[in-house]
Each structure stands twice: as C-alpha cells, then as structure tokens.
Amino acid sequence: MKIERTLNNNVAIATNQNGVNVLVMGPGIAFNKKVGDQVEIAKVEKTLFLNDKETMNKFTDLVIDVPMSEVDISERIINFAKIKIGKKLNEIIYVNLTDHIHMAIKRAKEGVFLSNPLKWDIARFYPDEFAVGQKAVQVINDSQEVGLADDEAAFIAVHFVNAENEDSSQQNLAYGITKIVKECEDIVKDYFHTEFDEQSLNYYRFITHLKFFAQRILQGKHYDDEEDDDLLETLEHRYAKPYQCSQKIKEYISEKYNFTITSSELLYLTVHISRLVKNL
C-alpha cells in the first residue's frame, strides 16, 4: 500500500492493491512519511473502509483530532453492537459514535456529566441498544479511568437506534420516538388505571407498534393500506374501552403533533390495546 495522505503520526490514507483508498492506523505509521511512500505493514494495527464517500470523508476529518485509543473503543463497541443488536447499521455510526465517545471522555475528565431524562424509557423500549450502551460505558470507564453512568449508556444507545435507519435523512428520530411511545403508553395506563407486565408478548407487540406509529407521526406518513371503516365500527362495539382509549390517543396526537390518525391507525391501536388489557 502507498501513502496518499498523512492525517497525523498514527493515521494515513493509503491506496491498496485494488486502487481503493483506505484508512490505515497504527502507532507512528505516518511519521516522516510522504505521499507515495510505502506503508510499513508491520505498523498497521487496523484498516477501515466505508462505502459511503461522504461518511468516509467525515470519519477521516474526525480521526485527525481523536486519539487512537478512542477510535479503537468505538470500533470495539460497534462490533459488539452488530452481534448484540443483529441489525444492519448505517455507516454513519462510525462518525457519530467516535465523536460522541471523544466528547464524553473529554467532559468526564473535566468533571462534567450530562443527565438523560429519558434514560429509563430508552432502557425499556430499546433494551438491546441500551445493553450496548452499558457495555460501552464499562469499556470507556475501564480504559479511560472515568466515571460515566447509565445516563451516558442511554445517549450511546440512541446512536445505535438511529443507525438502524439506513436512510440517513431520517436519522435522529430516536428521542422523538421514545417520547411519543411513553406519552401513548401513559394515556393507556391512565385510562385503565393499571400497570403492565413489561415481559409479556402483548406488551412487546404494543410497544413495537407504538415505535413505528411514532415514527410515522414524526415523518408525517400514514399506512398505505386502505381504511376499513366497517371493521373499525365492529371493533368500536366489540372493544368499546380500547376503542375509546384509542380515541384519546388520537385527540392527544392531533393536538400536540398536528397529526391526524386515520381509521387504519385507529383500528390497529384498538387491536393492540385490546390485547394488552384483555385480562383486566
């Protein structure tokens, strides 16, 4: 591989045997190197290639100022997340997570710790992503000797929730989704004066539906399927209380988010609520 550009003593852009530019990283790998020099393979600790050119450029700019140890932490956490979450992640996670970890460590060493008011809701609604966040906090605390807590785990979890959306223009929805899900859940709890078994299958189905419902609200989209007013009318009589509860959600969403819930949306909400409260 030949050096195309040195970023700092430990990072360079090099051209591999296929003519593709990749990031090569390792202690002293670019020290006293010029464009065209051969990369000392023995010094290469890791290489990185991102398919999206814009993302690759952003990451390249980022690693100029971020210590290798923090880049390594980020990569370790991303690899762990790929196994734990089991979903394809948008490549922008390399940029967002590395930058976030860099700033979190910097704040922690200055004695600044941010609180996350939605941390327990994020933990409930996104348990796998939150587990990744907790793993990240453990790795950061052990390697950097700082004292990050579950608030930071929730912040990191959100980056992974967002990265699960392949459309980068629709990322950064996680906080909004979490807020709407909690608001709708609270309406149902208040209406039926109860708490729910969060380990039950029906609760899982309900929360999963609310996540996609909340995403549609934030994106201003509705179901593509045709509305079935006859079926909704049947459900209105058969499941009167779940239907009335769905109407309360409809009124709340309309007032707060200026989003009109269609008959199809109302139908699905009613079905999920009826399953959730069937034993009450």
Side-chain angles (χ1 to χ4, degrees):
M1 289 191 289
K2 291 185 178 181
I3 299 286
E4 287 291 324
R5 176 187 169 195
T6 60
L7 302 180
N8 56 42
N9 287 338
N10 306 314
V11 186
I13 299 175
T15 304
N16 65 15
Q17 60 185 5
N18 298 318
V20 176
N21 286 348
V22 297
L23 275 176
V24 290
M25 293 169 268
I29 199 170
F31 181 70
N32 280 340
K33 292 292 185 180
K34 303 185 300 294
V35 174
D37 287 350
Q38 288 289 331
V39 174
E40 295 179 52
I41 300 300
K43 290 186 175 181
V44 178
E45 289 192 350
K46 65 172 79 273
T47 61
L48 181 67
F49 168 74
L50 301 177
N51 289 294
D52 184 78
K53 186 176 180 180
E54 183 180 349
T55 302
M56 185 69 166
N57 289 339
K58 288 178 180 177
F59 189 77
T60 299
D61 291 340
L62 183 63
V63 297
I64 293 174
D65 300 316
V66 174
M68 271 291 299
S69 61
E70 295 175 12
V71 175
D72 182 60
I73 290 171
S74 179
E75 186 180 27
R76 286 173 61 191
I77 297 306
I78 291 170
N79 290 337
F80 174 77
K82 287 177 180 178
I83 297 171
K84 178 66 177 177
I85 300 172
K87 297 178 183 178
K88 185 177 179 180
L89 300 174
N90 191 297
E91 288 182 337
I92 198 66
I93 189 65
Y94 285 93
V95 176
N96 292 344
L97 184 64
T98 304
D99 185 50
H100 181 91
I101 286 174
H102 175 59
M103 296 306 298
I105 292 171
K106 183 179 179 181
R107 286 194 304 268
K109 288 181 176 179
E110 294 172 350
V112 178
F113 298 93
L114 302 181
S115 63
N116 190 327
L118 291 177
K119 66 180 176 182
W120 298 125
D121 296 309
I122 292 167
R124 287 195 303 132
F125 302 148
Y126 300 101
D128 288 340
E129 291 82 356
F130 187 71
V132 171
Q134 289 182 307
K135 177 68 173 180
V137 164
Q138 177 189 340
V139 170
I140 294 168
N141 286 345
D142 289 347
S143 63
Q144 301 295 314
E145 297 183 348
V146 292
L148 300 178
D150 281 337
D151 293 88
E152 193 59 45
F155 284 126
I156 291 172
V158 167
H159 282 296
F160 284 100
V161 175
N162 288 330
E164 291 164 21
N165 192 332
E166 291 187 28
D167 183 356
S168 59
S169 67
Q170 296 298 332
Q171 290 188 354
N172 302 319
L173 295 175
Y175 277 114
I177 290 172
T178 301
K179 189 169 182 290
I180 293 173
V181 169
K182 185 178 187 305
E183 289 166 345
C184 292
E185 182 193 34
D186 286 345
I187 289 172
V188 179
K189 284 181 178 179
D190 289 344
Y191 185 84
F192 288 96
H193 306 291
T194 189
E195 294 291 330
F196 300 120
D197 177 7
E198 295 182 7
Q199 304 305 314
S200 71
L201 179 58
N202 283 330
Y203 180 83
Y204 170 79
R205 288 169 174 162
F206 174 62
I207 294 300
T208 300
H209 175 77
L210 286 184
K211 288 177 186 176
F212 289 107
F213 172 62
Q215 185 170 329
R216 287 192 295 276
I217 291 171
L218 294 172
Q219 294 174 335
K221 297 180 179 179
H222 293 90
Y223 275 119
D224 292 332
D225 54 338
E226 296 180 1
E227 298 180 2
D228 194 334
D229 292 330
D230 291 339
L231 180 55
L232 185 61
E233 187 175 346
T234 300
L235 290 178
E236 180 182 352
H237 295 292
R238 182 174 296 177
Y239 306 112
K241 287 188 175 180
Y243 176 81
Q244 290 163 11
C245 183
S246 297
Q247 287 284 5
K248 286 190 172 295
I249 293 175
K250 178 180 179 178
E251 292 167 6
Y252 178 84
I253 295 299
S254 175
E255 181 178 341
K256 184 164 184 180
Y257 295 97
N258 194 30
F259 180 88
T260 302
I261 295 180
T262 64
S263 295
S264 293
E265 298 277 7
L266 202 61
L267 187 154
Y268 285 113
L269 269 176
T270 301
V271 168
H272 280 287
I273 293 172
S274 67
R275 288 173 177 170
L276 188 63
V277 302
K278 66 180 181 180
N279 295 323
L280 295 181

